[in-house]
Amino acid sequence: MIGRLNHVAIAVPDLKAAAAQYRDTLGASVGAPQDEPEHGVTVVFIELPNTKIELLYPLGEGSPIAGFLEKNPGGGIHHICYEVDDIHAARDRLAAEGARVLGGGEPKIGAHGKPVLFLHPKDFNGCLIELEQV
Amino acid sequence: MIGRLNHVAIAVPDLKAAAAQYRDTLGASVGAPQDEPEHGVTVVFIELPNTKIELLYPLGEGSPIAGFLEKNPGGGIHHICYEVDDIHAARDRLAAEGARVLGGGEPKIGAHGKPVLFLHPKDFNGCLIELEQV
């Protein structure tokens, strides 16, 4: 069911510093910051040859990563995203296996403009997993 | 400097259950458990089309992930691994930028039989980063 690892998302306490570090110290290909007001984050995409790293920083009130950064003030890996072909089929298979889908189980449009779901980290070894239909 | 994302390593409290979940619930290609006594872990490799997930479980006394699982009993993402062409050049560049390399700064042979270094998570947004020479 799951396909490619679409991205690893890292919540960071200082987006400018983190982007500069990936560009200058780690020598990666780092994009410009992009505000995603509908998702409450500003994102910097780091293009690796086989996948992406997404640096996340809170944007506006009620950002979904504000609480994470309160608990992890130095930052940390927030989630990993696997691609799926059919998000509804994935949701139904997960539900049949007893895995909890966050937010009521209906896919939403994610930061890449594609349908996504998030799976409960307690059901997946402490990892917040995003599924994105590609 | 950094190239492909070689793998994401997830420490899990129950390796058999986690492997079964990735195989049966998430429908991924999951290998057999491999004991790595020199590294204090048993590993299950999950092959995605573009990278790998490594499920890690402690093996023997003094496993490097035992403390992590004590702090995170439900499991969690332990580290991410970026590939580099030249581990010594990477080490020197990182040292010049003031980033801390764990374990004295000398590359060791990692679980894949290749030279690796680990970078201090406090210097990298709370992420433990492994660099592997490929």
Side-chain angles (χ1 to χ4, degrees), chain A residues 1 5 21-22 24 26-27 50 76 82 93 123 125, chain B residues 1-2 5 21-22 24 26-27 50 76 82 93 123 125:
Chain A
M1 183 171 82
L5 179 74
Q21 183 185 52
Y22 265 84
D24 301 333
L26 292 173
N50 60 332
Y82 299 128
R93 178 168 173 169
D123 292 345
N125 309 292
Chain B
M1 182 172 81
I2 59 170
L5 179 76
Q21 183 185 51
Y22 266 85
D24 301 332
L26 292 172
N50 61 332
Y82 299 128
R93 177 170 173 168
D123 292 346
N125 309 292

mmCIF file with all atom_site columns, all heavy atoms in Angstrom, chain A residues 1 5 21-22 24 26-27 50 76 82 93 123 125, chain B residues 1-2 5 21-22 24 26-27 50 76 82 93 123 125:
data_model
loop_
_atom_site.group_PDB
_atom_site.id
_atom_site.type_symbol
_atom_site.label_atom_id
_atom_site.label_alt_id
_atom_site.label_comp_id
_atom_site.label_asym_id
_atom_site.label_entity_id
_atom_site.label_seq_id
_atom_site.pdbx_PDB_ins_code
_atom_site.Cartn_x
_atom_site.Cartn_y
_atom_site.Cartn_z
_atom_site.occupancy
_atom_site.B_iso_or_equiv
_atom_site.pdbx_formal_charge
_atom_site.auth_seq_id
_atom_site.auth_comp_id
_atom_site.auth_asym_id
_atom_site.auth_atom_id
_atom_site.pdbx_PDB_model_num
ATOM 1   N N   . MET A 1 1   ? 0.817  -1.206 0.000  1.00 0.00 ? 1   MET A N   1
ATOM 2   C CA  . MET A 1 1   ? 0.000  0.000  0.000  1.00 0.00 ? 1   MET A CA  1
ATOM 3   C C   . MET A 1 1   ? 0.856  1.265  0.000  1.00 0.00 ? 1   MET A C   1
ATOM 4   O O   . MET A 1 1   ? 0.743  2.088  -0.900 1.00 0.00 ? 1   MET A O   1
ATOM 5   C CB  . MET A 1 1   ? -0.921 0.001  1.221  1.00 0.00 ? 1   MET A CB  1
ATOM 6   C CG  . MET A 1 1   ? -1.850 1.194  1.251  1.00 0.00 ? 1   MET A CG  1
ATOM 7   S SD  . MET A 1 1   ? -3.098 1.042  2.562  1.00 0.00 ? 1   MET A SD  1
ATOM 8   C CE  . MET A 1 1   ? -2.198 1.591  4.004  1.00 0.00 ? 1   MET A CE  1
ATOM 9   N N   . LEU A 1 5   ? 8.642  7.357  0.261  1.00 0.00 ? 5   LEU A N   1
ATOM 10  C CA  . LEU A 1 5   ? 8.686  8.311  1.371  1.00 0.00 ? 5   LEU A CA  1
ATOM 11  C C   . LEU A 1 5   ? 8.657  9.696  0.740  1.00 0.00 ? 5   LEU A C   1
ATOM 12  O O   . LEU A 1 5   ? 9.623  10.115 0.092  1.00 0.00 ? 5   LEU A O   1
ATOM 13  C CB  . LEU A 1 5   ? 9.960  8.128  2.195  1.00 0.00 ? 5   LEU A CB  1
ATOM 14  C CG  . LEU A 1 5   ? 10.097 9.093  3.371  1.00 0.00 ? 5   LEU A CG  1
ATOM 15  C CD1 . LEU A 1 5   ? 9.162  8.723  4.522  1.00 0.00 ? 5   LEU A CD1 1
ATOM 16  C CD2 . LEU A 1 5   ? 11.532 9.154  3.877  1.00 0.00 ? 5   LEU A CD2 1
ATOM 17  N N   . GLN A 1 21  ? 21.599 26.503 7.815  1.00 0.00 ? 21  GLN A N   1
ATOM 18  C CA  . GLN A 1 21  ? 22.441 25.367 8.193  1.00 0.00 ? 21  GLN A CA  1
ATOM 19  C C   . GLN A 1 21  ? 22.374 24.254 7.147  1.00 0.00 ? 21  GLN A C   1
ATOM 20  O O   . GLN A 1 21  ? 23.405 23.675 6.786  1.00 0.00 ? 21  GLN A O   1
ATOM 21  C CB  . GLN A 1 21  ? 21.985 24.833 9.547  1.00 0.00 ? 21  GLN A CB  1
ATOM 22  C CG  . GLN A 1 21  ? 22.835 23.687 10.061 1.00 0.00 ? 21  GLN A CG  1
ATOM 23  C CD  . GLN A 1 21  ? 22.268 23.111 11.334 1.00 0.00 ? 21  GLN A CD  1
ATOM 24  O OE1 . GLN A 1 21  ? 21.103 22.760 11.419 1.00 0.00 ? 21  GLN A OE1 1
ATOM 25  N NE2 . GLN A 1 21  ? 23.116 23.019 12.339 1.00 0.00 ? 21  GLN A NE2 1
ATOM 26  N N   . TYR A 1 22  ? 21.167 23.961 6.658  1.00 0.00 ? 22  TYR A N   1
ATOM 27  C CA  . TYR A 1 22  ? 21.058 22.917 5.633  1.00 0.00 ? 22  TYR A CA  1
ATOM 28  C C   . TYR A 1 22  ? 21.741 23.347 4.342  1.00 0.00 ? 22  TYR A C   1
ATOM 29  O O   . TYR A 1 22  ? 22.347 22.531 3.642  1.00 0.00 ? 22  TYR A O   1
ATOM 30  C CB  . TYR A 1 22  ? 19.590 22.523 5.393  1.00 0.00 ? 22  TYR A CB  1
ATOM 31  C CG  . TYR A 1 22  ? 19.198 21.310 6.228  1.00 0.00 ? 22  TYR A CG  1
ATOM 32  C CD1 . TYR A 1 22  ? 18.791 21.463 7.546  1.00 0.00 ? 22  TYR A CD1 1
ATOM 33  C CD2 . TYR A 1 22  ? 19.300 20.025 5.708  1.00 0.00 ? 22  TYR A CD2 1
ATOM 34  C CE1 . TYR A 1 22  ? 18.461 20.353 8.319  1.00 0.00 ? 22  TYR A CE1 1
ATOM 35  C CE2 . TYR A 1 22  ? 18.980 18.916 6.467  1.00 0.00 ? 22  TYR A CE2 1
ATOM 36  C CZ  . TYR A 1 22  ? 18.565 19.075 7.777  1.00 0.00 ? 22  TYR A CZ  1
ATOM 37  O OH  . TYR A 1 22  ? 18.264 17.967 8.543  1.00 0.00 ? 22  TYR A OH  1
ATOM 38  N N   . ASP A 1 24  ? 24.273 25.855 4.031  1.00 0.00 ? 24  ASP A N   1
ATOM 39  C CA  . ASP A 1 24  ? 25.693 26.199 4.132  1.00 0.00 ? 24  ASP A CA  1
ATOM 40  C C   . ASP A 1 24  ? 26.523 25.098 4.794  1.00 0.00 ? 24  ASP A C   1
ATOM 41  O O   . ASP A 1 24  ? 27.640 24.822 4.367  1.00 0.00 ? 24  ASP A O   1
ATOM 42  C CB  . ASP A 1 24  ? 25.859 27.505 4.919  1.00 0.00 ? 24  ASP A CB  1
ATOM 43  C CG  . ASP A 1 24  ? 25.108 28.654 4.257  1.00 0.00 ? 24  ASP A CG  1
ATOM 44  O OD1 . ASP A 1 24  ? 24.918 28.616 3.020  1.00 0.00 ? 24  ASP A OD1 1
ATOM 45  O OD2 . ASP A 1 24  ? 24.694 29.583 4.975  1.00 0.00 ? 24  ASP A OD2 1
ATOM 46  N N   . LEU A 1 26  ? 25.366 21.779 5.616  1.00 0.00 ? 26  LEU A N   1
ATOM 47  C CA  . LEU A 1 26  ? 25.107 20.445 5.065  1.00 0.00 ? 26  LEU A CA  1
ATOM 48  C C   . LEU A 1 26  ? 25.122 20.446 3.543  1.00 0.00 ? 26  LEU A C   1
ATOM 49  O O   . LEU A 1 26  ? 25.100 19.384 2.909  1.00 0.00 ? 26  LEU A O   1
ATOM 50  C CB  . LEU A 1 26  ? 23.785 19.889 5.602  1.00 0.00 ? 26  LEU A CB  1
ATOM 51  C CG  . LEU A 1 26  ? 23.794 19.560 7.110  1.00 0.00 ? 26  LEU A CG  1
ATOM 52  C CD1 . LEU A 1 26  ? 22.399 19.179 7.588  1.00 0.00 ? 26  LEU A CD1 1
ATOM 53  C CD2 . LEU A 1 26  ? 24.779 18.425 7.432  1.00 0.00 ? 26  LEU A CD2 1
ATOM 54  N N   . GLY A 1 27  ? 25.179 21.641 2.939  1.00 0.00 ? 27  GLY A N   1
ATOM 55  C CA  . GLY A 1 27  ? 25.363 21.712 1.487  1.00 0.00 ? 27  GLY A CA  1
ATOM 56  C C   . GLY A 1 27  ? 24.205 21.172 0.684  1.00 0.00 ? 27  GLY A C   1
ATOM 57  O O   . GLY A 1 27  ? 24.390 20.611 -0.407 1.00 0.00 ? 27  GLY A O   1
ATOM 58  N N   . ASN A 1 50  ? 16.490 11.908 -3.610 1.00 0.00 ? 50  ASN A N   1
ATOM 59  C CA  . ASN A 1 50  ? 15.436 10.881 -3.624 1.00 0.00 ? 50  ASN A CA  1
ATOM 60  C C   . ASN A 1 50  ? 14.184 11.248 -2.845 1.00 0.00 ? 50  ASN A C   1
ATOM 61  O O   . ASN A 1 50  ? 13.182 10.537 -2.931 1.00 0.00 ? 50  ASN A O   1
ATOM 62  C CB  . ASN A 1 50  ? 15.979 9.546  -3.095 1.00 0.00 ? 50  ASN A CB  1
ATOM 63  C CG  . ASN A 1 50  ? 16.486 9.631  -1.663 1.00 0.00 ? 50  ASN A CG  1
ATOM 64  O OD1 . ASN A 1 50  ? 16.925 10.697 -1.209 1.00 0.00 ? 50  ASN A OD1 1
ATOM 65  N ND2 . ASN A 1 50  ? 16.444 8.532  -0.957 1.00 0.00 ? 50  ASN A ND2 1
ATOM 66  N N   . GLY A 1 76  ? 12.559 19.072 16.405 1.00 0.00 ? 76  GLY A N   1
ATOM 67  C CA  . GLY A 1 76  ? 12.550 17.618 16.322 1.00 0.00 ? 76  GLY A CA  1
ATOM 68  C C   . GLY A 1 76  ? 11.797 17.160 15.094 1.00 0.00 ? 76  GLY A C   1
ATOM 69  O O   . GLY A 1 76  ? 11.138 17.949 14.417 1.00 0.00 ? 76  GLY A O   1
ATOM 70  N N   . TYR A 1 82  ? 4.254  9.067  3.854  1.00 0.00 ? 82  TYR A N   1
ATOM 71  C CA  . TYR A 1 82  ? 4.310  8.018  2.844  1.00 0.00 ? 82  TYR A CA  1
ATOM 72  C C   . TYR A 1 82  ? 3.280  8.312  1.762  1.00 0.00 ? 82  TYR A C   1
ATOM 73  O O   . TYR A 1 82  ? 2.161  8.755  2.057  1.00 0.00 ? 82  TYR A O   1
ATOM 74  C CB  . TYR A 1 82  ? 3.983  6.660  3.459  1.00 0.00 ? 82  TYR A CB  1
ATOM 75  C CG  . TYR A 1 82  ? 4.924  6.202  4.546  1.00 0.00 ? 82  TYR A CG  1
ATOM 76  C CD1 . TYR A 1 82  ? 4.430  5.783  5.782  1.00 0.00 ? 82  TYR A CD1 1
ATOM 77  C CD2 . TYR A 1 82  ? 6.298  6.157  4.344  1.00 0.00 ? 82  TYR A CD2 1
ATOM 78  C CE1 . TYR A 1 82  ? 5.285  5.338  6.791  1.00 0.00 ? 82  TYR A CE1 1
ATOM 79  C CE2 . TYR A 1 82  ? 7.152  5.721  5.351  1.00 0.00 ? 82  TYR A CE2 1
ATOM 80  C CZ  . TYR A 1 82  ? 6.643  5.306  6.570  1.00 0.00 ? 82  TYR A CZ  1
ATOM 81  O OH  . TYR A 1 82  ? 7.488  4.868  7.555  1.00 0.00 ? 82  TYR A OH  1
ATOM 82  N N   . ARG A 1 93  ? -8.583 0.430  4.677  1.00 0.00 ? 93  ARG A N   1
ATOM 83  C CA  . ARG A 1 93  ? -7.728 -0.686 5.103  1.00 0.00 ? 93  ARG A CA  1
ATOM 84  C C   . ARG A 1 93  ? -7.217 -0.462 6.528  1.00 0.00 ? 93  ARG A C   1
ATOM 85  O O   . ARG A 1 93  ? -7.200 -1.383 7.356  1.00 0.00 ? 93  ARG A O   1
ATOM 86  C CB  . ARG A 1 93  ? -6.551 -0.794 4.123  1.00 0.00 ? 93  ARG A CB  1
ATOM 87  C CG  . ARG A 1 93  ? -5.551 -1.878 4.483  1.00 0.00 ? 93  ARG A CG  1
ATOM 88  C CD  . ARG A 1 93  ? -4.607 -2.099 3.328  1.00 0.00 ? 93  ARG A CD  1
ATOM 89  N NE  . ARG A 1 93  ? -3.520 -3.011 3.661  1.00 0.00 ? 93  ARG A NE  1
ATOM 90  C CZ  . ARG A 1 93  ? -2.692 -3.528 2.768  1.00 0.00 ? 93  ARG A CZ  1
ATOM 91  N NH1 . ARG A 1 93  ? -2.826 -3.230 1.487  1.00 0.00 ? 93  ARG A NH1 1
ATOM 92  N NH2 . ARG A 1 93  ? -1.723 -4.348 3.147  1.00 0.00 ? 93  ARG A NH2 1
ATOM 93  N N   . ASP A 1 123 ? -0.489 4.414  17.575 1.00 0.00 ? 123 ASP A N   1
ATOM 94  C CA  . ASP A 1 123 ? -0.712 3.162  16.854 1.00 0.00 ? 123 ASP A CA  1
ATOM 95  C C   . ASP A 1 123 ? 0.452  2.805  15.937 1.00 0.00 ? 123 ASP A C   1
ATOM 96  O O   . ASP A 1 123 ? 0.437  1.729  15.316 1.00 0.00 ? 123 ASP A O   1
ATOM 97  C CB  . ASP A 1 123 ? -1.994 3.263  16.001 1.00 0.00 ? 123 ASP A CB  1
ATOM 98  C CG  . ASP A 1 123 ? -3.247 3.334  16.863 1.00 0.00 ? 123 ASP A CG  1
ATOM 99  O OD1 . ASP A 1 123 ? -3.152 3.020  18.071 1.00 0.00 ? 123 ASP A OD1 1
ATOM 100 O OD2 . ASP A 1 123 ? -4.309 3.703  16.339 1.00 0.00 ? 123 ASP A OD2 1
ATOM 101 N N   . ASN A 1 125 ? 4.171  3.127  16.587 1.00 0.00 ? 125 ASN A N   1
ATOM 102 C CA  . ASN A 1 125 ? 5.510  3.207  17.195 1.00 0.00 ? 125 ASN A CA  1
ATOM 103 C C   . ASN A 1 125 ? 5.946  4.634  17.513 1.00 0.00 ? 125 ASN A C   1
ATOM 104 O O   . ASN A 1 125 ? 7.124  4.987  17.362 1.00 0.00 ? 125 ASN A O   1
ATOM 105 C CB  . ASN A 1 125 ? 6.560  2.548  16.281 1.00 0.00 ? 125 ASN A CB  1
ATOM 106 C CG  . ASN A 1 125 ? 6.161  1.166  15.859 1.00 0.00 ? 125 ASN A CG  1
ATOM 107 O OD1 . ASN A 1 125 ? 6.124  0.260  16.691 1.00 0.00 ? 125 ASN A OD1 1
ATOM 108 N ND2 . ASN A 1 125 ? 5.815  0.989  14.591 1.00 0.00 ? 125 ASN A ND2 1
ATOM 109 N N   . MET B 1 1   ? 26.687 18.915 -0.088 1.00 0.00 ? 1   MET B N   1
ATOM 110 C CA  . MET B 1 1   ? 27.405 17.843 0.597  1.00 0.00 ? 1   MET B CA  1
ATOM 111 C C   . MET B 1 1   ? 26.514 16.619 0.814  1.00 0.00 ? 1   MET B C   1
ATOM 112 O O   . MET B 1 1   ? 26.854 15.535 0.361  1.00 0.00 ? 1   MET B O   1
ATOM 113 C CB  . MET B 1 1   ? 27.949 18.347 1.928  1.00 0.00 ? 1   MET B CB  1
ATOM 114 C CG  . MET B 1 1   ? 28.754 17.317 2.672  1.00 0.00 ? 1   MET B CG  1
ATOM 115 S SD  . MET B 1 1   ? 29.579 17.989 4.139  1.00 0.00 ? 1   MET B SD  1
ATOM 116 C CE  . MET B 1 1   ? 28.267 17.976 5.354  1.00 0.00 ? 1   MET B CE  1
ATOM 117 N N   . ILE B 1 2   ? 25.371 16.816 1.504  1.00 0.00 ? 2   ILE B N   1
ATOM 118 C CA  . ILE B 1 2   ? 24.553 15.618 1.722  1.00 0.00 ? 2   ILE B CA  1
ATOM 119 C C   . ILE B 1 2   ? 23.854 15.224 0.425  1.00 0.00 ? 2   ILE B C   1
ATOM 120 O O   . ILE B 1 2   ? 23.504 16.058 -0.392 1.00 0.00 ? 2   ILE B O   1
ATOM 121 C CB  . ILE B 1 2   ? 23.522 15.788 2.865  1.00 0.00 ? 2   ILE B CB  1
ATOM 122 C CG1 . ILE B 1 2   ? 22.558 16.951 2.617  1.00 0.00 ? 2   ILE B CG1 1
ATOM 123 C CG2 . ILE B 1 2   ? 24.222 15.938 4.202  1.00 0.00 ? 2   ILE B CG2 1
ATOM 124 C CD1 . ILE B 1 2   ? 21.391 17.000 3.607  1.00 0.00 ? 2   ILE B CD1 1
ATOM 125 N N   . LEU B 1 5   ? 18.651 10.630 1.106  1.00 0.00 ? 5   LEU B N   1
ATOM 126 C CA  . LEU B 1 5   ? 18.252 10.171 2.431  1.00 0.00 ? 5   LEU B CA  1
ATOM 127 C C   . LEU B 1 5   ? 18.376 8.653  2.410  1.00 0.00 ? 5   LEU B C   1
ATOM 128 O O   . LEU B 1 5   ? 17.608 7.968  1.731  1.00 0.00 ? 5   LEU B O   1
ATOM 129 C CB  . LEU B 1 5   ? 16.804 10.583 2.740  1.00 0.00 ? 5   LEU B CB  1
ATOM 130 C CG  . LEU B 1 5   ? 16.283 10.119 4.098  1.00 0.00 ? 5   LEU B CG  1
ATOM 131 C CD1 . LEU B 1 5   ? 16.860 10.961 5.226  1.00 0.00 ? 5   LEU B CD1 1
ATOM 132 C CD2 . LEU B 1 5   ? 14.754 10.165 4.153  1.00 0.00 ? 5   LEU B CD2 1
ATOM 133 N N   . GLN B 1 21  ? 3.004  -4.955 11.297 1.00 0.00 ? 21  GLN B N   1
ATOM 134 C CA  . GLN B 1 21  ? 2.158  -3.801 10.969 1.00 0.00 ? 21  GLN B CA  1
ATOM 135 C C   . GLN B 1 21  ? 2.574  -3.168 9.643  1.00 0.00 ? 21  GLN B C   1
ATOM 136 O O   . GLN B 1 21  ? 1.722  -2.823 8.813  1.00 0.00 ? 21  GLN B O   1
ATOM 137 C CB  . GLN B 1 21  ? 2.253  -2.771 12.092 1.00 0.00 ? 21  GLN B CB  1
ATOM 138 C CG  . GLN B 1 21  ? 1.354  -1.564 11.870 1.00 0.00 ? 21  GLN B CG  1
ATOM 139 C CD  . GLN B 1 21  ? 1.558  -0.524 12.939 1.00 0.00 ? 21  GLN B CD  1
ATOM 140 O OE1 . GLN B 1 21  ? 2.682  -0.119 13.223 1.00 0.00 ? 21  GLN B OE1 1
ATOM 141 N NE2 . GLN B 1 21  ? 0.469  -0.094 13.556 1.00 0.00 ? 21  GLN B NE2 1
ATOM 142 N N   . TYR B 1 22  ? 3.894  -3.008 9.457  1.00 0.00 ? 22  TYR B N   1
ATOM 143 C CA  . TYR B 1 22  ? 4.350  -2.428 8.183  1.00 0.00 ? 22  TYR B CA  1
ATOM 144 C C   . TYR B 1 22  ? 4.037  -3.357 7.013  1.00 0.00 ? 22  TYR B C   1
ATOM 145 O O   . TYR B 1 22  ? 3.713  -2.899 5.921  1.00 0.00 ? 22  TYR B O   1
ATOM 146 C CB  . TYR B 1 22  ? 5.838  -2.066 8.252  1.00 0.00 ? 22  TYR B CB  1
ATOM 147 C CG  . TYR B 1 22  ? 6.035  -0.612 8.639  1.00 0.00 ? 22  TYR B CG  1
ATOM 148 C CD1 . TYR B 1 22  ? 6.053  -0.220 9.968  1.00 0.00 ? 22  TYR B CD1 1
ATOM 149 C CD2 . TYR B 1 22  ? 6.150  0.382  7.664  1.00 0.00 ? 22  TYR B CD2 1
ATOM 150 C CE1 . TYR B 1 22  ? 6.196  1.121  10.317 1.00 0.00 ? 22  TYR B CE1 1
ATOM 151 C CE2 . TYR B 1 22  ? 6.296  1.715  8.007  1.00 0.00 ? 22  TYR B CE2 1
ATOM 152 C CZ  . TYR B 1 22  ? 6.320  2.085  9.335  1.00 0.00 ? 22  TYR B CZ  1
ATOM 153 O OH  . TYR B 1 22  ? 6.443  3.405  9.662  1.00 0.00 ? 22  TYR B OH  1
ATOM 154 N N   . ASP B 1 24  ? 1.549  -5.930 6.978  1.00 0.00 ? 24  ASP B N   1
ATOM 155 C CA  . ASP B 1 24  ? 0.142  -6.283 6.787  1.00 0.00 ? 24  ASP B CA  1
ATOM 156 C C   . ASP B 1 24  ? -0.779 -5.065 6.723  1.00 0.00 ? 24  ASP B C   1
ATOM 157 O O   . ASP B 1 24  ? -1.703 -5.043 5.915  1.00 0.00 ? 24  ASP B O   1
ATOM 158 C CB  . ASP B 1 24  ? -0.315 -7.202 7.927  1.00 0.00 ? 24  ASP B CB  1
ATOM 159 C CG  . ASP B 1 24  ? 0.516  -8.477 7.990  1.00 0.00 ? 24  ASP B CG  1
ATOM 160 O OD1 . ASP B 1 24  ? 1.037  -8.895 6.925  1.00 0.00 ? 24  ASP B OD1 1
ATOM 161 O OD2 . ASP B 1 24  ? 0.673  -9.039 9.089  1.00 0.00 ? 24  ASP B OD2 1
ATOM 162 N N   . LEU B 1 26  ? 0.292  -1.619 6.525  1.00 0.00 ? 26  LEU B N   1
ATOM 163 C CA  . LEU B 1 26  ? 0.764  -0.580 5.602  1.00 0.00 ? 26  LEU B CA  1
ATOM 164 C C   . LEU B 1 26  ? 1.186  -1.163 4.253  1.00 0.00 ? 26  LEU B C   1
ATOM 165 O O   . LEU B 1 26  ? 1.460  -0.414 3.308  1.00 0.00 ? 26  LEU B O   1
ATOM 166 C CB  . LEU B 1 26  ? 1.915  0.215  6.231  1.00 0.00 ? 26  LEU B CB  1
ATOM 167 C CG  . LEU B 1 26  ? 1.493  1.090  7.432  1.00 0.00 ? 26  LEU B CG  1
ATOM 168 C CD1 . LEU B 1 26  ? 2.716  1.703  8.116  1.00 0.00 ? 26  LEU B CD1 1
ATOM 169 C CD2 . LEU B 1 26  ? 0.531  2.204  7.000  1.00 0.00 ? 26  LEU B CD2 1
ATOM 170 N N   . GLY B 1 27  ? 1.250  -2.485 4.152  1.00 0.00 ? 27  GLY B N   1
ATOM 171 C CA  . GLY B 1 27  ? 1.480  -3.117 2.857  1.00 0.00 ? 27  GLY B CA  1
ATOM 172 C C   . GLY B 1 27  ? 2.851  -2.853 2.266  1.00 0.00 ? 27  GLY B C   1
ATOM 173 O O   . GLY B 1 27  ? 3.010  -2.753 1.053  1.00 0.00 ? 27  GLY B O   1
ATOM 174 N N   . ASN B 1 50  ? 11.977 4.532  -2.822 1.00 0.00 ? 50  ASN B N   1
ATOM 175 C CA  . ASN B 1 50  ? 13.042 5.538  -2.914 1.00 0.00 ? 50  ASN B CA  1
ATOM 176 C C   . ASN B 1 50  ? 13.993 5.576  -1.734 1.00 0.00 ? 50  ASN B C   1
ATOM 177 O O   . ASN B 1 50  ? 15.016 6.259  -1.786 1.00 0.00 ? 50  ASN B O   1
ATOM 178 C CB  . ASN B 1 50  ? 12.436 6.937  -3.106 1.00 0.00 ? 50  ASN B CB  1
ATOM 179 C CG  . ASN B 1 50  ? 11.539 7.362  -1.948 1.00 0.00 ? 50  ASN B CG  1
ATOM 180 O OD1 . ASN B 1 50  ? 10.938 6.518  -1.281 1.00 0.00 ? 50  ASN B OD1 1
ATOM 181 N ND2 . ASN B 1 50  ? 11.452 8.651  -1.720 1.00 0.00 ? 50  ASN B ND2 1
ATOM 182 N N   . GLY B 1 76  ? 9.647  5.662  18.661 1.00 0.00 ? 76  GLY B N   1
ATOM 183 C CA  . GLY B 1 76  ? 9.774  6.988  18.048 1.00 0.00 ? 76  GLY B CA  1
ATOM 184 C C   . GLY B 1 76  ? 10.870 6.990  17.000 1.00 0.00 ? 76  GLY B C   1
ATOM 185 O O   . GLY B 1 76  ? 11.637 6.022  16.879 1.00 0.00 ? 76  GLY B O   1
ATOM 186 N N   . TYR B 1 82  ? 21.725 10.652 6.180  1.00 0.00 ? 82  TYR B N   1
ATOM 187 C CA  . TYR B 1 82  ? 22.021 11.240 4.877  1.00 0.00 ? 82  TYR B CA  1
ATOM 188 C C   . TYR B 1 82  ? 23.305 10.618 4.327  1.00 0.00 ? 82  TYR B C   1
ATOM 189 O O   . TYR B 1 82  ? 24.258 10.370 5.069  1.00 0.00 ? 82  TYR B O   1
ATOM 190 C CB  . TYR B 1 82  ? 22.244 12.750 5.002  1.00 0.00 ? 82  TYR B CB  1
ATOM 191 C CG  . TYR B 1 82  ? 21.060 13.530 5.517  1.00 0.00 ? 82  TYR B CG  1
ATOM 192 C CD1 . TYR B 1 82  ? 21.192 14.398 6.599  1.00 0.00 ? 82  TYR B CD1 1
ATOM 193 C CD2 . TYR B 1 82  ? 19.807 13.436 4.914  1.00 0.00 ? 82  TYR B CD2 1
ATOM 194 C CE1 . TYR B 1 82  ? 20.119 15.148 7.065  1.00 0.00 ? 82  TYR B CE1 1
ATOM 195 C CE2 . TYR B 1 82  ? 18.725 14.173 5.377  1.00 0.00 ? 82  TYR B CE2 1
ATOM 196 C CZ  . TYR B 1 82  ? 18.893 15.035 6.455  1.00 0.00 ? 82  TYR B CZ  1
ATOM 197 O OH  . TYR B 1 82  ? 17.827 15.769 6.912  1.00 0.00 ? 82  TYR B OH  1
ATOM 198 N N   . ARG B 1 93  ? 34.272 19.674 7.293  1.00 0.00 ? 93  ARG B N   1
ATOM 199 C CA  . ARG B 1 93  ? 33.398 20.824 7.004  1.00 0.00 ? 93  ARG B CA  1
ATOM 200 C C   . ARG B 1 93  ? 32.490 21.127 8.202  1.00 0.00 ? 93  ARG B C   1
ATOM 201 O O   . ARG B 1 93  ? 32.294 22.292 8.567  1.00 0.00 ? 93  ARG B O   1
ATOM 202 C CB  . ARG B 1 93  ? 32.558 20.502 5.763  1.00 0.00 ? 93  ARG B CB  1
ATOM 203 C CG  . ARG B 1 93  ? 31.564 21.580 5.396  1.00 0.00 ? 93  ARG B CG  1
ATOM 204 C CD  . ARG B 1 93  ? 30.975 21.284 4.030  1.00 0.00 ? 93  ARG B CD  1
ATOM 205 N NE  . ARG B 1 93  ? 29.901 22.198 3.691  1.00 0.00 ? 93  ARG B NE  1
ATOM 206 C CZ  . ARG B 1 93  ? 29.379 22.309 2.471  1.00 0.00 ? 93  ARG B CZ  1
ATOM 207 N NH1 . ARG B 1 93  ? 29.837 21.556 1.488  1.00 0.00 ? 93  ARG B NH1 1
ATOM 208 N NH2 . ARG B 1 93  ? 28.410 23.162 2.223  1.00 0.00 ? 93  ARG B NH2 1
ATOM 209 N N   . ASP B 1 123 ? 22.631 20.409 17.881 1.00 0.00 ? 123 ASP B N   1
ATOM 210 C CA  . ASP B 1 123 ? 23.133 21.309 16.830 1.00 0.00 ? 123 ASP B CA  1
ATOM 211 C C   . ASP B 1 123 ? 22.298 21.215 15.555 1.00 0.00 ? 123 ASP B C   1
ATOM 212 O O   . ASP B 1 123 ? 22.552 21.965 14.608 1.00 0.00 ? 123 ASP B O   1
ATOM 213 C CB  . ASP B 1 123 ? 24.590 20.969 16.487 1.00 0.00 ? 123 ASP B CB  1
ATOM 214 C CG  . ASP B 1 123 ? 25.532 21.300 17.624 1.00 0.00 ? 123 ASP B CG  1
ATOM 215 O OD1 . ASP B 1 123 ? 25.118 22.020 18.555 1.00 0.00 ? 123 ASP B OD1 1
ATOM 216 O OD2 . ASP B 1 123 ? 26.690 20.829 17.604 1.00 0.00 ? 123 ASP B OD2 1
ATOM 217 N N   . ASN B 1 125 ? 18.514 20.969 15.183 1.00 0.00 ? 125 ASN B N   1
ATOM 218 C CA  . ASN B 1 125 ? 17.058 21.042 15.373 1.00 0.00 ? 125 ASN B CA  1
ATOM 219 C C   . ASN B 1 125 ? 16.467 19.810 16.055 1.00 0.00 ? 125 ASN B C   1
ATOM 220 O O   . ASN B 1 125 ? 15.376 19.365 15.714 1.00 0.00 ? 125 ASN B O   1
ATOM 221 C CB  . ASN B 1 125 ? 16.350 21.240 14.010 1.00 0.00 ? 125 ASN B CB  1
ATOM 222 C CG  . ASN B 1 125 ? 16.934 22.392 13.230 1.00 0.00 ? 125 ASN B CG  1
ATOM 223 O OD1 . ASN B 1 125 ? 16.790 23.535 13.626 1.00 0.00 ? 125 ASN B OD1 1
ATOM 224 N ND2 . ASN B 1 125 ? 17.641 22.080 12.149 1.00 0.00 ? 125 ASN B ND2 1
#
